[in-house]
Amino acid sequence: MNILDKIIHSTEKTIYYILSFLLLLFVTYEVFDLVTLFYEEVTKASIENKSIALTGVPLFFNIIIALEIMETFKSNNENILRKVKLILLIALTAIARKVITMDVKHIGFETELGISILILAICIGYLILNNPRLHKKQK
């Protein structure tokens, strides 16, 4: 390994640590925000008012996505198949967040069809990656 490769490797490692730290701060802030929001919603709720806003759902999915990204960072030296699976799961979680929080009344048929095709493509990709025959060929 020459000196340039060592510099690049140490720079990548430093950037991973910085990004992981910032992501950890983001998750901490989002968890605090979610707990605060949950407390406010529960204290405002009453038996007569049965509608509790679902404003915490995007925060919850932000936390899940951030934790999945941290998992991708942690799997730095593992095989590429595991990384690709994690990335597909992150994408699927992000799309699920979008679907759950979007207003279906204001979107068109094309958008719904596009999101459906995107979800289907990611699921098929994940299914292909989980194929046992692929694991046998890799070993």
Side-chain angles (χ1 to χ4, degrees), residues 53-72:
L54 294 176
T55 54
V57 173
L59 290 173
F60 178 77
F61 277 106
N62 284 344
I63 295 167
I64 296 291
I65 291 169
L67 291 175
E68 288 294 331
I69 290 172
M70 283 181 70
E71 183 69 27
T72 305

Side-chain angles (χ1 to χ4, degrees), residues 60-72 75 80-98 118-119 121-130:
F60 178 77
F61 277 106
N62 284 344
I63 295 167
I64 296 291
I65 291 169
L67 291 175
E68 288 294 331
I69 290 172
M70 283 181 70
E71 183 69 27
T72 305
S75 66
I80 191 71
L81 187 62
R82 181 161 162 32
K83 271 189 165 183
V84 173
K85 284 182 188 179
L86 278 171
I87 290 169
L88 286 176
L89 286 176
I90 292 169
L92 203 54
T93 306
I95 293 169
R97 174 190 180 268
K98 183 67 178 173
L118 186 61
I119 291 172
I122 292 174
C123 289
I124 289 172
Y126 190 77
L127 184 68
I128 290 171
L129 289 176
N130 279 332

Side-chain angles (χ1 to χ4, degrees), residues 38-52:
F38 180 74
Y39 176 75
E40 289 173 3
E41 289 294 325
V42 167
T43 55
K44 282 193 311 186
S46 66
I47 295 175
E48 296 85 30
N49 183 12
K50 294 182 181 179
S51 67
I52 294 179

